[in-house]
Amino acid sequence: MSLSVDQLVYDGGVVRRQQALERLQRDAAQQEVAVDLYRVRDQVNVAYFGALAAETRLASLQTFAEDLASRHRRLEAQVRAGLVTPGNADVMAVERLRVDQQVAEAESASKTALAVLSELIGQPADGPLAWPEAPDAAFENQRARPEYAAFALQTDLLASQQALAGLKTRPRVVSFAEAAYGRPAGLDLFDDRFQPFYSFGLRVQWGF
């Protein structure tokens, strides 16, 4: 029967460096989450302004189409009154058809942009959308982007891993103590009596 105890005395700073490395790994993982969230935010911004631009173009084309329709009706009245030739009204009718086609395309683009925005934010995105009152601070200061912090953490992480690899080549010193009861006891191999014995000292481990 025996009982032994080991106590690390000196490890060359390996434990302290491992703890620092674990903290860096945790911070780097958290920063990667921030980077992913920022990318999603960028996608939402692109989708939002894309939908806003589509809405603006649609509203402009609809206004233009209404103006053309009003002018076309006036030309038709002038044709009936004999003031202008029918060719003028036909040209206006062709222009109305062209603008109506553009309105239909703009309506489709607006619906698609709103559908993409709705998918990104996880809820219905119904127009009309409003222009933001002030620019986002992230656009004013690109250095605030989380990718820069993530890159800095990855650099520190690699440096810490390299330092830890260097520390593992240093010697380790461990103190030990052992108490036992048995036979043979101690160093006398010819003594067959049951006796207690103990030993203690320092152990050095060094991976060259």
Side-chain angles (χ1 to χ4, degrees):
M1 182 177 62
S2 65
L3 174 66
S4 62
V5 177
D6 290 343
Q7 175 63 48
L8 180 65
V9 177
Y10 174 74
D11 67 347
V14 172
V15 172
R16 178 174 55 83
R17 178 61 64 179
Q18 284 179 332
Q19 291 173 343
L21 180 61
E22 290 173 0
R23 288 194 295 269
L24 279 173
Q25 289 173 334
R26 180 198 60 204
D27 294 343
Q30 291 176 345
Q31 194 62 33
E32 284 299 325
V33 173
V35 170
D36 292 340
L37 290 175
Y38 193 89
R39 288 172 181 164
V40 173
R41 184 182 179 186
D42 268 354
Q43 292 175 352
V44 171
N45 282 335
V46 170
Y48 185 88
F49 285 105
L52 195 57
E55 279 191 352
T56 303
R57 172 173 169 76
L58 176 59
S60 177
L61 286 171
Q62 287 174 336
T63 301
F64 186 38
E66 291 173 359
D67 179 63
L68 284 178
S70 176
R71 290 164 59 185
H72 189 209
R73 286 192 295 270
R74 286 199 300 269
L75 277 175
E76 287 179 334
Q78 290 172 353
V79 168
R80 288 192 296 269
L83 299 177
V84 295
T85 61
N88 291 331
D90 293 339
V91 170
M92 184 63 67
V94 171
E95 181 66 14
R96 280 191 63 187
L97 288 174
R98 183 181 68 82
V99 173
D100 287 344
Q101 182 178 0
Q102 291 179 347
V103 168
E105 293 173 352
E107 286 177 343
S108 177
S110 179
K111 290 179 180 178
T112 301
L114 288 174
V116 171
L117 179 60
S118 177
E119 182 71 20
L120 286 172
I121 63 178
Q123 61 184 30
D126 299 325
L129 302 177
W131 286 94
E133 296 180 0
D136 196 309
F139 291 101
E140 297 175 1
N141 183 11
Q142 289 297 315
R143 282 290 175 182
R145 292 177 63 95
E147 289 92 337
Y148 290 98
F151 179 76
L153 284 171
Q154 288 295 335
T155 302
D156 293 342
L157 187 59
L158 290 174
S160 183
Q161 288 172 337
Q162 185 177 11
L164 179 60
L167 290 176
K168 287 183 177 180
T169 62
R170 294 184 178 182
R172 300 174 73 247
V173 179
V174 179
S175 63
F176 67 91
E178 182 179 12
Y181 182 79
R183 66 175 183 180
L187 300 177
D188 188 354
L189 299 179
F190 299 101
D191 189 350
D192 60 355
R193 294 173 300 170
F194 281 94
Q195 297 183 53
F197 66 93
Y198 64 90
S199 62
F200 61 89
L202 295 177
R203 183 184 302 113
V204 178
Q205 299 173 339
W206 193 355
F208 293 96

